[in-house]
Amino acid sequence: MANALLIACVVSVLLHAVGGATVRRFKWEVGYIYASPDCEEKLVMAINGQFPGPTIRAKAGDTIHLQLKNTLHTEGVVIHWHGIRQHGTPWADGTASISQCAINPEESFLYRFKVDKAGTYFYHGHYGMQRAAGLYGSLIVDVSDGEEEPFQYDGEFNLLLSDWYHTSIYDQMVGLSSRPMKWIGEPQSLLINGRGQTNCSLAASLVPGSSACELTSKDCEPVVLKVLPNKTYRLRIASATSLASLNLAIGNHSMTVVEADGNYVEPFTVDDMDIYSGESYSVLVTTNQKTSSNYWISVGVRGRKPNTQSALAIINYPPNAPSKLPESSPPATPLWNDYARSKSFTYRILARQGAPKPPPNADKRIALLNTQNKMDGYTKWAINNVSLALPATPYLGSMRYHLKNAFDTKIPPESFPSDYDVMRPAKNQNTTQSTNAYVFQFNSTIDVILQNANAIAENVSEIHPWHLHGHDFWVLGYGDGRFQEKDVSTFNLKNPPLRNTVVIFPYGWTALRFIADNPGVWAFHCHIEPHLHMGMGVVFAEGVENVRNVPTEAITCGMTGKMLINNHLP
Ligand code: C2O
Ligand code: CU
């Protein structure tokens, strides 16, 4: 008996060693600090006093144990691990009202989850608009020991992109939910790894009409990538922007795209690339230019009329000083409304050979119409004319334990009227709010058609990057105008890319397919922070019966959730 036990122990230890998986432990505290991300001092939401938050680096198969303490004085907090699918740990997804209760001031929550797939990810706040307050950082997963990436490089750099406002998120949130709505406007600056410059250009001497920057703080000094000539570097690029769609280009250097959202793509080479909020990419860059100069990395705004200076970083070739300005002006961002160009970039993203293929058919298809609406004079975004409201007790706990009256159990609409004209403002702009959720049969294959439309104003249709929690999906296709049944025949079932974020272009549709195989409750929403705040999202659930071990503190908030404290968890 004792021997059998001993053998069992030895075997399990061995298995552990063979797998090479490690538990990585972190202790984090979230709180406001003063910082000057774009040379103007503001409050910034930081982790352990750092902005952006610390980079998590792990290997595929590792487990993250992260104790998050809330040291904000008067508000809750959660952190979402964007792109991590949370198989078996849906309560660690970090979405307030969906997967857990917000962590109260002075309280802690243990995030425990596996990072099962190599790739470029990030994390961010997912309560109110805390992401826009600066609560974000990078999460990078390397291939596990003994595995290799399907491409080679000599070194790598990480560029986490964001946009930055000088008004507080409280000001922004109150404005968005006032009548009439007070729009947040364009950001005051774009940031690369949390650094930018407001209202000035580092390249002022090369860019006519721009004013020179006074770098008043170390916080706003430009990012410098020190390279060696004739090497290949992997640039990991992710966008945590609140509003802006971005374009990135490097002076004189082309880029080969090899990864998107933690999935390998068929390599293709570009001079500039679009990055929407919620997306991540890896590109390979070869330092084959003349070494007498440094070069700019330039990040500018797409898809909205820009009113924000481009962010600049420097590629530094030896023996130049890092502070030596590049000889030529920074690459210009393509015209903001050149959507044909954006589409051609996006359509080139295809799965790398050998990537998992989608099931040939779906069990169910839903169509989600994206509209801007009015509700008692408030401006909202709605999906099939339902604007998302979040319940006080998180869905995960209330669904798992069948709590009554925790959210609206009416089934949300799975399509929209066949005579709805997506090219014009709605005839009836009124919408309603609900906490209802789509519940899918466990392990079924779901197709989602995201349909864009005209907003409230004439001739306006915006870009919306949609992000799904808990899954990657295959992007089967895109089209202009209203989706029609015949478009199904154009779906790409051969090499559709797997992603967790996908864009819908103005007046267009995007089709995606995923397998509802991850027990839990998952947000699916526009990654533009103010749009989500105004209701632009839905909630998906599947296999919730199979969810185990939801921590009590992830459930027991809101009236219904609190009743559980007395009755004990079933
Ligand atoms: Cu990166 Cu629900 O978001
Ligand atoms: Cu949006």
Side-chain angles (χ1 to χ4, degrees):
M1 188 63 192
N3 265 344
L5 201 68
L6 189 69
I7 290 166
C9 285
V10 169
V11 167
S12 82
V13 166
L14 277 180
L15 278 180
H16 206 83
V18 170
T22 309
V23 174
R24 294 181 194 269
R25 294 173 197 278
F26 301 87
K27 264 194 169 185
W28 282 6
E29 292 190 4
V30 176
Y32 271 113
I33 57 164
Y34 286 109
S36 309
D38 63 6
C39 306
E40 262 195 51
E41 191 178 73
K42 295 288 168 196
L43 288 181
V44 176
M45 210 173 265
I47 295 169
N48 295 349
Q50 286 178 49
F51 166 75
T55 296
I56 296 180
R57 188 112 203 179
K59 287 184 181 163
D62 288 353
T63 299
I64 307 292
H65 268 230
L66 191 146
Q67 180 89 34
L68 187 70
K69 184 175 181 199
N70 180 4
T71 59
L72 296 164
H73 296 291
T74 55
E75 66 184 290
V77 77
V78 295
I79 291 183
H80 166 60
W81 318 96
H82 180 114
I84 306 300
R85 290 165 299 172
Q86 304 290 356
H87 282 289
T89 51
W91 49 267
D93 194 41
T95 45
S97 284
I98 300 174
S99 66
Q100 72 172 109
C101 302
I103 308 159
N104 286 324
E106 294 308 314
E107 292 181 3
S108 295
F109 185 82
L110 178 66
Y111 289 100
R112 176 174 59 76
F113 58 91
K114 214 170 169 162
V115 289
D116 60 344
K117 189 157 58 76
T120 305
Y121 307 102
F122 62 107
Y123 61 82
H124 60 79
H126 214 298
Y127 182 40
M129 287 177 59
Q130 287 176 345
R131 172 159 57 95
L135 187 52
Y136 45 77
S138 295
L139 198 179
I140 294 176
V141 183
D142 290 302
V143 292
S144 50
D145 290 334
E147 297 282 316
E148 270 181 26
E149 304 273 9
F151 41 81
Q152 269 161 10
Y153 50 98
D154 305 303
E156 69 167 73
F157 294 102
N158 182 39
L159 303 176
L160 179 59
L161 311 179
S162 57
D163 50 6
W164 184 245
Y165 287 81
H166 289 174
T167 46
S168 74
I169 56 164
Y170 311 102
D171 196 333
Q172 294 179 39
M173 286 189 288
V174 171
L176 294 169
S177 33
S178 292
R179 355 174 231 208
M181 176 198 49
K182 226 169 113 191
W183 176 240
I184 61 170
E186 298 302 308
Q188 275 66 59
S189 53
L190 301 179
L191 308 181
I192 301 175
N193 294 346
R195 293 151 176 270
Q197 300 81 32
T198 189
N199 253 326
C200 65
S201 176
L202 294 171
S205 56
L206 302 164
V207 180
S210 61
S211 46
C213 298
E214 240 185 278
L215 302 178
T216 51
S217 159
K218 269 210 156 323
D219 298 354
C220 63
E221 282 175 2
V223 170
V224 176
L225 314 187
K226 279 183 171 298
V227 300
L228 293 173
N230 297 311
K231 301 271 181 218
T232 297
Y233 291 92
R234 177 183 192 166
L235 260 51
R236 298 178 181 268
I237 304 164
S239 174
T241 56
S242 174
L243 176 69
S245 300
L246 302 174
N247 181 273
L248 181 145
I250 308 175
N252 292 41
H253 294 74
S254 58
M255 303 176 275
T256 301
V257 182
V258 292
E259 179 217 339
D261 298 354
N263 293 290
Y264 298 125
V265 302
E266 199 52 40
F268 64 101
T269 302
V270 292
D271 289 328
D272 64 86
M273 61 188 299
D274 290 338
I275 306 135
Y276 301 98
S277 182
E279 291 187 331
S280 62
Y281 290 97
S282 284
V283 301
L284 301 180
V285 175
T286 300
T287 47
N288 52 9
Q289 293 302 303
K290 69 176 166 66
T291 56
S292 57
S293 177
N294 288 334
Y295 298 89
W296 296 112
I297 297 180
S298 167
V299 178
V301 173
R302 306 284 334 258
R304 308 181 62 86
K305 198 163 183 216
N307 195 15
T308 312
Q309 198 79 234
S310 292
L312 296 175
I314 289 171
I315 301 222
N316 174 219
Y317 276 68
N320 305 301
S323 58
K324 183 180 170 198
L325 287 193
E327 286 162 7
S328 37
S329 44
T333 303
L335 265 190
W336 70 273
N337 55 359
D338 185 353
Y339 292 113
R341 190 186 172 101
S342 293
K343 287 176 190 173
S344 76
F345 171 75
T346 302
Y347 297 175
R348 287 179 78 182
I349 302 165
L350 296 167
R352 189 177 179 100
Q353 262 183 34
K357 283 200 175 33
N361 294 297
D363 300 306
K364 183 187 186 77
R365 185 203 299 161
I366 63 172
L368 303 178
L369 175 68
N370 290 228
T371 55
Q372 192 184 29
N373 298 80
K374 289 281 177 183
M375 195 181 80
D376 306 328
Y378 296 101
T379 306
K380 295 282 176 192
W381 287 91
I383 306 309
N384 293 347
N385 211 25
V386 178
S387 186
L388 180 66
L390 291 171
T393 302
Y395 294 95
L396 184 64
S398 54
M399 284 192 187
R400 176 65 184 81
Y401 298 111
H402 310 284
L403 307 181
K404 297 264 176 300
N405 306 318
F407 62 94
D408 179 1
T409 51
K410 202 167 99 250
I411 297 170
E414 295 182 347
S415 62
F416 55 93
S418 56
D419 60 354
Y420 189 94
D421 185 354
V422 301
M423 305 306 288
R424 311 236 126 65
K427 291 201 190 87
N428 177 357
Q429 290 175 342
N430 291 331
T431 193
T432 49
Q433 247 181 343
S434 173
T435 55
N436 57 15
Y438 294 84
V439 179
F440 298 125
Q441 193 174 352
F442 187 48
N443 278 329
S444 62
T445 300
I446 308 295
D447 277 3
V448 179
I449 311 295
L450 285 165
Q451 177 69 59
N452 210 340
N454 201 105
I456 287 178
E458 298 269 353
N459 299 316
V460 175
S461 182
E462 293 180 33
I463 280 181
H464 304 284
W466 277 78
H467 170 63
L468 177 59
H469 291 225
H471 310 77
D472 287 341
F473 48 73
W474 290 275
V475 183
L476 301 184
Y478 304 85
D480 297 325
R482 190 191 162 113
F483 176 83
Q484 292 176 325
E485 198 53 42
K486 68 170 168 53
D487 294 321
V488 173
S489 66
T490 68
F491 283 176
N492 173 13
L493 300 176
K494 212 182 89 217
N495 56 355
L498 268 170
R499 305 215 57 175
N500 60 53
T501 304
V502 74
V503 71
I504 47 173
F505 289 109
Y507 300 107
W509 56 265
T510 299
L512 50 99
R513 178 169 293 174
F514 71 97
I515 305 174
D517 59 359
N518 191 4
V521 186
W522 310 105
F524 181 44
H525 62 89
C526 175
H527 211 263
I528 292 178
E529 193 85 308
H531 288 182
L532 174 58
H533 185 77
M534 294 156 88
M536 196 165 211
V538 292
V539 172
F540 289 169
E542 73 227 27
V544 179
E545 294 310 306
N546 307 333
V547 173
R548 299 267 167 267
N549 307 325
V550 185
T552 313
E553 65 272 32
I555 311 172
T556 47
C557 51
M559 279 276 258
T560 33
K562 280 193 202 126
M563 280 165 16
L564 276 175
I565 300 179
N566 307 328
N567 300 340
H568 304 290
L569 293 183

